[in-house]
Amino acid sequence: MRILSSVLAVASILTLSTGRVIPRQDGNSYVGYLLSTFSDANPSVFWYLSEGSDPLAFKALNGGCPVLESTVGTRAVRDVFLASNAARSEYFIIATDLDINAEGFSWDEATRRGSRGLTIWKSDNLVDWSEPTLTTIEEDTAGMAWAPSAVWNDDEQQYYLFWASRLYDPSDSDHTGTAGLDRIRYSTTKDFVTFSSPADYVALDGIPLIDQEFLELGTPGAYARFIKDENVNQVYQETTTGGLFGEWTRIPGYIGDNPLSEGPASFPDIENSELYHLFLDNYEEYVPFQTSDINTGSWEKSRTASLPSGLKHGSVLRLTQSEYDTITSKYATN
């Protein structure tokens, strides 16, 4: 086990891009979906595999037991995200290091002096995983690092890593005063070991933001992104055709009719190129939505009969036939 207490000293190895970030499409053919998630009662990594190409029918893997459990930091993980490169030669699970079940837990304390690192596992084949590492990605002025997500850039051969932070004045070393509003931060990495210095990605006046996720829209530079507005505890959508650092257009209003939503997980349908799916966590479990008009953000609730109950803030990875077979062979479904 290797705990990386600070990566800022090596920040000069990588530099942040401020230009137009447009990854190539990966060209893979997909047959199913893998949902990575956690539970409040057991904050570990759980996997659910789709029944073939059905994006709303999932069965628990590994007999319903965790696939991975953290042995670092708080020994608990939330907001699980599974990232891969276009070649599908490596996989990373990244997650928030946070245990809300710890004795004396306080949300206020977690935002002031919580973990500034992420729990990370690596695999070359989706079934054999490294020991977890706790990797500090934030500066001392940050109170926490939550809800990670990542986007692979094939041209640059590196990942863009995103998370939410709350920053305090540099003179307030104990974080006892008033912090700035929650914001989305980012860094770049080629290996999830060495990272560039963190920087703001989305920071708004008067609106605290967490839980960002991207959705590739099928053409270079075209994305939707989903972010939680903490003022109203709901998720909104923006779109762009200019890459991650292009101009983003806000879709008016918020998605769905739930009074509370967070933890968006979005993914394209593998059979219908016009159809997209979005899971929103209503603080108890996922509520699925779908749209065939992504640019206007016209989301409608999907059927839920085959979606397991209690699934929380996670991510969905589309699987190739080889990946689907490898996972099925390793973890028999219930």
Side-chain angles (χ1 to χ4, degrees), residues 185-261:
R185 304 266 280 172
Y186 84 106
S187 176
T188 57
T189 181
K190 294 182 180 293
D191 53 14
F192 286 90
V193 174
T194 301
F195 297 82
S196 60
S197 296
D200 284 355
Y201 181 62
V202 185
L204 302 179
D205 292 335
I207 303 178
L209 304 172
I210 64 172
D211 292 5
Q212 175 188 251
E213 180 163 322
F214 293 95
L215 173 62
E216 293 186 23
L217 301 183
T219 58
Y223 286 95
R225 70 182 178 193
F226 307 93
I227 307 177
K228 181 188 178 186
D229 178 342
E230 286 275 81
N231 281 339
V232 296
N233 293 318
Q234 294 193 62
V235 173
Y236 66 86
Q237 175 187 332
E238 295 182 314
T239 59
T240 187
T241 58
L244 298 181
F245 294 86
E247 181 178 350
W248 290 84
T249 300
R250 168 77 184 266
I251 304 298
Y254 299 90
I255 300 172
D257 54 6
N258 298 319
L260 300 172
S261 64

Side-chain angles (χ1 to χ4, degrees), residues 67-68 71 83 95-96 108-109 150 171-172 187 197 204 210 222 271 299 306 326 330-331:
V67 174
L68 294 169
T71 57
T96 303
D108 181 69
E109 177 67 18
S171 64
D172 183 10
S187 176
S197 296
L204 302 179
I210 64 172
E271 293 188 345
W299 295 92
S306 299
T326 297
K330 175 73 173 183
Y331 305 103

Side-chain angles (χ1 to χ4, degrees), residues 16 27 46 86 110 112 159 192 206 209 229 249 267 271 320:
L16 289 174
F46 290 83
R112 292 179 182 275
Y159 298 88
F192 286 90
L209 304 172
D229 178 342
T249 300
F267 55 100
E271 293 188 345
T320 65

Side-chain angles (χ1 to χ4, degrees), residues 18-282:
T18 58
R20 197 167 183 234
V21 179
I22 302 179
R24 297 170 180 160
Q25 304 305 299
D26 60 26
N28 292 317
S29 178
Y30 300 107
V31 300
Y33 309 91
L34 178 64
L35 170 61
S36 301
T37 185
F38 74 100
S39 73
D40 285 327
N42 190 347
S44 303
V45 179
F46 290 83
W47 273 1
Y48 290 78
L49 184 66
S50 68
E51 296 183 10
S53 61
D54 191 333
L56 297 172
F58 287 86
K59 289 188 177 181
L61 292 172
N62 202 34
C65 297
V67 174
L68 294 169
E69 297 180 270
S70 176
T71 57
V72 297
T74 66
R75 297 176 180 266
V77 292
R78 302 171 66 85
D79 317 330
V80 180
F81 191 91
L82 175 54
S84 181
N85 59 5
R88 297 302 179 110
S89 61
E90 61 184 13
Y91 306 86
F92 297 92
I93 288 179
I94 52 179
T96 303
D97 172 40
L98 180 66
D99 184 6
I100 69 169
N101 301 314
E103 183 177 355
F105 174 80
S106 159
W107 282 108
D108 181 69
E109 177 67 18
T111 57
R112 292 179 182 275
R113 289 169 286 274
S115 177
R116 294 183 292 108
L118 300 176
T119 304
I120 301 173
W121 290 266
K122 181 181 180 180
S123 174
D124 295 329
N125 58 11
L126 272 177
V127 294
D128 299 309
W129 291 90
S130 68
E131 292 297 314
T133 60
L134 179 61
T135 305
T136 299
I137 58 168
E138 260 296 4
E139 298 172 337
D140 293 341
T141 54
M144 81 289 191
W146 285 358
S149 65
V151 176
W152 168 255
N153 184 280
D154 205 48
D155 289 336
E156 299 175 358
Q157 290 290 294
Q158 66 179 354
Y159 298 88
Y160 281 73
L161 173 66
F162 302 87
W163 66 92
S165 282
R166 181 177 300 180
L167 304 181
Y168 291 81
D169 189 279
S171 64
D172 183 10
S173 59
D174 292 330
H175 300 177
T176 58
T178 301
L181 296 177
D182 295 345
R183 64 197 60 206
I184 306 300
R185 304 266 280 172
Y186 84 106
S187 176
T188 57
T189 181
K190 294 182 180 293
D191 53 14
F192 286 90
V193 174
T194 301
F195 297 82
S196 60
S197 296
D200 284 355
Y201 181 62
V202 185
L204 302 179
D205 292 335
I207 303 178
L209 304 172
I210 64 172
D211 292 5
Q212 175 188 251
E213 180 163 322
F214 293 95
L215 173 62
E216 293 186 23
L217 301 183
T219 58
Y223 286 95
R225 70 182 178 193
F226 307 93
I227 307 177
K228 181 188 178 186
D229 178 342
E230 286 275 81
N231 281 339
V232 296
N233 293 318
Q234 294 193 62
V235 173
Y236 66 86
Q237 175 187 332
E238 295 182 314
T239 59
T240 187
T241 58
L244 298 181
F245 294 86
E247 181 178 350
W248 290 84
T249 300
R250 168 77 184 266
I251 304 298
Y254 299 90
I255 300 172
D257 54 6
N258 298 319
L260 300 172
S261 64
E262 62 180 6
S266 57
F267 55 100
D269 193 274
I270 58 179
E271 293 188 345
N272 182 348
S273 62
E274 301 298 320
L275 183 63
Y276 295 90
H277 303 278
L278 175 66
F279 294 169
L280 294 181
D281 184 342
N282 69 357

